[in-house]
Structure formats: C-alpha cells, structure tokens
Amino acid sequence: MRKALFWLFLWLSSALAQGRLEAGVYGAPGALAPTLEVGFTLEPGEVYGKLQVGQEGRGALGLSSSLALGPLGYLAYGLQAEAGAGGLGGMAFAEGGAGPLALAARLGYRPKGLFPLFPEEGMFGRLSLRYRLVPKEVVGLFLERGEVLRAEVSYALREGATYTLGAGFSGLPYLVLGWKGEVGEGMEVLDLALRLGGLNRLEAGLYLGEASLFLTLSYPFAGSLGVWLGDLGLEGGYREAPYAWVRYAWRWP
C-alpha cells in the first residue's frame, strides 16, 4: 500500500510539474456561470478537464496524445467524455500531417449545448483538409455539421501576405475572401476572413505579441469582441442576448 501511494505521489508530482489552469465567469441576462479549465501534461500528451456551473452545469474529462512520425509527419488525437445538463456526451478528435497533406477532424454528440465551454448541441463534427500544391499555394476543404451543414473549398496564395479565395455552401452558396499578413513595424499579424452570401460573417484577429484582439460579426446579427492581455481574457458580444466572459489563465512549467 505504501509503495502504491509512493508511486501515486510521484505521478501526481510529475503531472503538476507542467500544467495550466484557466478560471473565469460568464454572464448573460438572468444567468451567471463560473467556468474552469485545467490541464496537466503527461508525456507524450495531456489530461484535462472542463467545468461550467450555474443554473445548469456540465463537465468534461479528456485525454490527448501525440505521436511523432519522423520524416513521415505527425499524429495527434484525443477523447473527451462529458456529463451534465441534458445527459451524457463525448467527442473524439484527431489531426495530423504527412508531406504536403494536413488533416484535422472531430466528431461528437452533446444532448444540450451550454455556451461558452460547450456550445454545440446534438451531433456535431468538423473536417479540415489542406494540401500544399507548391510551397506558396495551398488548397483546402472544410466540412462542418452543427445547426446546419456547411461545406467550403478554398485556394490560398502566399506572396508576402497570404491571400485566400474560396466558395462554400450553407443552405445557400457563399463567397470566401481572406487576407493574412504583417502590419505595422513590430511584426504584428492581421488575419481577416469575410464570407458573403448564404453565410455572412466577418472574422478578424490581430496578434500583437503579448496581446491579441478578436472580432466576429455575423448576419442575422450576432457578434463578439475579445482581447487577451497576457494571461487575462475579456470577451463581450451578442448571441441571442448580450453576454460577457472574463477569464484568467495560470501556466506553470
């Protein structure tokens, strides 16, 4: 028994040697929900948990791992089990790359969505596939199943900045325009994506080293504005009702 406790102590010590903890509060009219995310590094992967409580609560426990394949590429994968509002749920996810090909996929089920940590509801999935034609040209395929089915193809050209042109379908066809490049003199990066037609959405990200700014606007009207200042995250927006989310993250080596 003492030997088992000793090895358990060593395992917990190694787990706590590397980790992250993110605590926050999400607020909307008539609702206030603390949120918590925690993860411990366990070579070659991570054990993590998520918890959101309030009028309704939900929690998740997950395990992710990765496998280096040398010159062949890499593979990362994981599983997440959930319980709480609506019942049991879960998700499986994987991503990898081999030569010019990169793939990311996830598939899950959640009987009831709980924003912000558990936003999807019902069966949901996502598949992203990218293929590098030549060093400066990439074609992509994106499929997503959520409230509606969405499919998208794109072509990206990198000439200093990265220019993206594509088309998609989400009930109706839509156009995709994107631009990503450095702005200013401090190597700041601006990432813009605009979708027009069957899906109308503007997404923008500005990365300033220790600070990051994110903006999303959609029609019919919904949107969010978020900023990370070091380890402090602030987000506000409108999603059927106005909301705010404040988070702080701790990380230790």
Side-chain angles (χ1 to χ4, degrees):
M1 182 66 178
R2 290 182 179 180
K3 188 175 182 180
L5 290 174
F6 173 74
W7 285 110
L8 178 62
F9 173 78
L10 288 181
W11 180 84
L12 289 173
S13 298
S14 64
L16 292 172
Q18 289 184 308
R20 58 184 175 86
L21 173 66
E22 183 178 304
V25 176
Y26 168 79
L32 190 65
T35 63
L36 181 69
E37 297 183 66
V38 61
F40 301 112
T41 300
L42 297 174
E43 294 297 338
E46 182 187 54
V47 173
Y48 66 89
K50 298 182 180 182
L51 179 65
Q52 181 174 334
V53 296
Q55 294 179 339
E56 295 182 299
R58 191 165 189 83
L61 182 64
L63 172 66
S64 64
S65 187
S66 60
L67 180 63
L69 303 177
L72 296 178
Y74 74 97
L75 175 65
Y77 51 92
L79 293 171
Q80 176 175 302
E82 302 179 12
L88 300 176
M91 178 174 63
F93 49 91
E95 65 176 80
L101 183 67
L103 174 71
R106 66 173 181 166
L107 179 66
Y109 171 76
R110 183 174 299 128
K112 186 173 184 179
L114 194 62
F115 189 80
L117 291 188
F118 307 97
E120 301 92 350
E121 184 169 317
M123 288 293 300
F124 60 92
R126 178 178 295 178
L127 174 67
S128 175
L129 177 66
R130 293 182 295 122
Y131 185 82
R132 187 174 67 250
L133 299 173
V134 295
K136 294 185 178 181
E137 298 180 46
V138 176
V139 293
L141 170 66
F142 179 82
L143 300 174
E144 183 178 52
R145 188 192 189 285
E147 296 179 0
V148 295
L149 179 65
R150 181 159 71 100
E152 187 175 296
V153 293
S154 63
Y155 167 81
L157 172 65
R158 184 171 185 177
E159 289 288 354
T162 300
Y163 304 87
T164 301
L165 177 65
F169 185 86
S170 180
L172 292 170
Y174 62 88
L175 176 69
V176 182
L177 299 171
W179 185 90
K180 182 178 181 180
E182 296 177 359
V183 294
E185 299 179 356
M187 304 295 285
E188 297 89 354
V189 175
L190 177 62
D191 190 355
L192 297 172
L194 177 63
R195 291 169 173 84
L196 293 171
L199 179 64
N200 295 283
R201 181 186 300 164
L202 170 66
E203 298 174 317
L206 180 61
Y207 305 93
L208 306 169
E210 289 295 319
S212 301
L213 181 67
F214 306 95
L215 171 69
T216 301
L217 292 175
S218 301
Y219 178 83
F221 181 72
S224 64
L225 176 63
V227 59
W228 274 98
L229 301 171
D231 294 325
L232 176 64
L234 307 170
E235 182 179 331
Y238 186 89
R239 181 187 169 95
E240 299 180 352
Y243 74 88
W245 190 17
V246 180
R247 292 167 283 172
Y248 192 85
W250 294 266
R251 297 176 178 84
W252 57 94

